[in-house]
Amino acid sequence: GTRAAQEALEGCDGFLIVGSSSPFYEFWPQPDQARGVQIDIDPGRLAMRYPVEVGLAGDAAPTLRELLPLLERRTDRSFLEHAHETTAASRQALQRQAENKDTPMKPQVIVHHLGRLLPDRAILTADAGTVTMWGARVHLRRGMSYSFSGTHCTMGSAVSYAIGAKFAHPDRPVVAFAGDGALAMGMGELATLAQYDLPITVVVMHNGSLALEVWEQNAMLGNPQYGCELSSIDFAGVARACGLRGYHVEDPSDVPDVLAEALAHDGPALVNCVVDPYEPPFGETLKPTHAEKIAAAFDRGEPARQRMAAGLLDPVHAEISPSVQQTRDKLSRYA
């Protein structure tokens, strides 16, 4: 997610988990930092990821309604105000990154314009991979919803989720946000969109790589990437062959018009967006331990270390991430 979300988790003293079994618990508060309460319809999930003091087994909506009268409004709003400030800073940084004209273009270009162009009440479904992080940065408005495979991190789920969402809510716009690796695992669903003439827009972040694996191999293991390259697929051509409207975009200046046309199309459409695989998906939230592992991977011969270091050391990231600022010396010699 964003630096605003990460700082909220790092600084909170209370932690409410509602219907979530996210495996990314290394980004959650430390167990001795925050008092935890969890609501889940499955009692077996209570305290599975975090040592909560109170576990409430039940449906989220009625349980929350019962808890609401017990809340007291705090007069000290500093925690909330700081979250608002960091959220604004993250959005401003995203807009500056979206103005970048380099090619392959920055994923932030797609994220910024997609958030701006999404219709009211849109349902956004995202896939597993770096696209999960980019999807988390899309600016959603009240009345929209966002779904992804947070528990199992299942690749290839975005289009399937979108199909289910469209059948369940035929009156709402639906957009599937997928990576090229993820879509390659479920391309047959494009034929399903055509067969039922479902007006779903598929936006593909095409970087020719299992990019999250690249970053995790570096940042989690300290190893150079291995086995992460993907063969290039003409997804727009495949979409057209299946009966969809297919678009291909590489120039950042073309993105607003292409996305707008695809979203306005009264039928299934796909936009293939060629993006930079080495733009760091956690540039805002990089931890010092991650930077040390990345430096170790670079020392061991990471082939893309120059491009990866340049992305991490982007001044925009350093402005909003204390961790990036602290670790610049470790990585700057590789840029």
Side-chain angles (χ1 to χ4, degrees):
T2 64
R3 186 65 211 166
Q6 189 59 46
E7 286 192 3
L9 292 173
E10 291 172 350
C12 70
D13 56 15
F15 189 45
L16 175 63
I17 307 167
V18 183
S20 173
S21 186
S22 170
F24 298 106
Y25 52 84
E26 66 266 29
F27 296 99
W28 287 9
Q30 295 301 306
D32 58 352
Q33 168 196 326
R35 303 182 70 180
V37 176
Q38 184 174 1
I39 303 169
D40 205 291
I41 201 166
D42 181 358
R45 291 183 176 180
L46 298 175
M48 185 170 69
R49 309 287 192 191
Y50 192 82
V52 297
E53 294 182 34
V54 178
L56 302 172
D59 185 84
T63 305
L64 287 169
R65 280 194 291 267
E66 291 295 318
L67 291 177
L68 276 174
L70 305 178
L71 292 177
E72 296 180 4
R73 183 179 175 88
R74 296 189 60 174
T75 56
D76 181 359
R77 314 303 287 174
S78 58
F79 184 87
L80 178 62
E81 289 166 359
H82 179 70
H84 286 166
E85 292 170 0
T86 51
T87 297
S90 289
R91 287 177 178 165
Q92 289 168 4
L94 177 65
Q95 183 164 353
R96 292 200 301 276
Q97 291 164 325
E99 294 168 355
N100 190 303
K101 301 301 183 185
D102 292 345
T103 55
M105 62 186 163
K106 300 294 184 185
Q108 293 93 329
V109 176
I110 310 300
V111 171
H112 171 70
H113 291 295
L114 181 61
R116 187 176 58 84
L117 293 168
L118 278 178
D120 291 341
R121 300 180 65 243
I123 298 172
L124 180 66
T125 65
D127 236 309
T130 54
V131 70
T132 309
M133 286 69 167
W134 302 127
R137 288 167 168 77
V138 175
H139 187 187
L140 301 182
R141 304 184 299 277
R142 187 178 296 275
M144 295 180 175
S145 62
Y146 174 74
S147 299
F148 74 104
S149 178
T151 299
H152 296 297
C153 302
T154 303
M155 294 178 69
S157 59
V159 178
S160 298
Y161 281 14
I163 292 170
K166 194 63 185 179
F167 276 117
H169 303 281
D171 60 325
R172 296 180 63 180
V174 178
V175 176
F177 196 47
D180 52 346
L183 186 59
M185 295 182 179
M187 277 194 293
E189 295 291 17
L190 297 180
T192 305
L193 298 184
Q195 180 174 343
Y196 294 99
D197 194 26
L198 295 173
I200 291 170
T201 305
V202 181
V203 178
V204 186
M205 303 290 266
H206 190 150
N207 56 27
S209 171
L210 295 172
L212 186 58
E213 291 301 318
V214 172
W215 286 102
E216 287 188 339
Q217 287 177 19
N218 276 253
M220 305 298 181
L221 302 175
N223 291 333
Q225 60 174 296
Y226 178 79
C228 298
E229 303 87 356
L230 293 176
S231 59
S232 184
I233 296 172
D234 178 6
F235 289 105
V238 172
R240 287 190 288 268
C242 290
L244 283 69
R245 181 77 62 86
Y247 302 86
H248 180 89
V249 59
E250 298 186 28
D251 188 332
S253 61
D254 294 335
V255 169
D257 290 341
V258 172
L259 283 179
E261 184 176 337
L263 289 166
H265 175 59
D266 186 21
L270 179 145
V271 185
N272 185 51
C273 309
V274 179
V275 298
D276 183 359
Y278 298 117
E279 177 64 16
F282 44 37
E284 298 179 30
T285 57
L286 184 73
K287 295 178 180 292
T289 53
H290 294 153
E292 291 169 3
K293 291 287 183 65
I294 290 172
F298 287 1
D299 285 340
R300 292 171 178 166
E302 166 56 51
R305 60 188 181 185
Q306 188 170 2
R307 290 178 63 185
M308 294 171 74
L312 285 166
L313 296 173
D314 186 318
V316 175
H317 293 315
E319 286 175 23
I320 56 178
S321 175
S323 297
V324 172
Q325 190 64 51
Q326 293 167 12
T327 55
R328 289 180 72 84
D329 290 342
K330 289 186 177 69
L331 301 175
S332 59
R333 62 194 174 100
Y334 301 101

